[in-house]
Amino acid sequence: MENLFSKDLYRYYGPHGESFYQRLLRPAELKYLYVLRKMQAASCKMLRFWYHVRLRRISRKTGMQISYKCTLGEGLYIGHRGRMIVGDD
């Protein structure tokens, strides 16, 4: 999971990575993507439930809905904020 998310960060910030300031002010798209990757990688049902609750909360704020069952490649870049729905097929 960490490897996939680090490649996602590379798409946003380039080879220098994100600074401490950028991490504090991380865009909502990256927060959503981080929690989604954590949920997909979680093996414990309780942990998966916790990430599901967090994902729904962020989804209500951002309007994004990406199914946790879908397979996302490395280096995903979400170029805009707003309504976005991705199914698991």
Side-chain angles (χ1 to χ4, degrees):
M1 193 300 296
E2 292 298 324
N3 188 26
L4 287 174
F5 189 68
S6 66
K7 297 205 178 187
D8 296 337
L9 283 177
Y10 182 83
R11 294 276 290 174
Y12 277 86
Y13 298 115
H16 304 294
E18 70 179 338
S19 66
F20 178 73
Y21 179 71
Q22 288 171 326
R23 186 174 184 147
L24 288 177
L25 299 175
R26 190 177 271 176
E29 302 87 30
L30 269 177
K31 290 178 186 177
Y32 185 87
L33 195 56
Y34 177 76
V35 174
L36 180 69
R37 298 276 193 202
K38 288 290 246 185
M39 183 177 170
Q40 288 176 339
S43 58
C44 175
K45 286 186 179 184
M46 198 65 177
L47 195 57
R48 188 173 289 158
F49 175 75
W50 169 247
Y51 285 125
H52 183 70
V53 170
R54 287 185 61 198
L55 200 61
R56 288 189 63 180
R57 182 174 177 227
I58 297 171
S59 180
R60 274 189 240 122
K61 284 183 175 181
T62 62
M64 292 186 226
Q65 295 177 358
I66 301 175
S67 174
Y68 66 90
K69 296 178 184 177
C70 75
T71 305
L72 300 171
E74 55 189 34
L76 180 66
Y77 178 77
I78 302 171
H80 61 86
R81 185 173 179 181
R83 177 66 58 195
M84 180 180 71
I85 301 172
V86 178
D88 57 341
D89 293 334

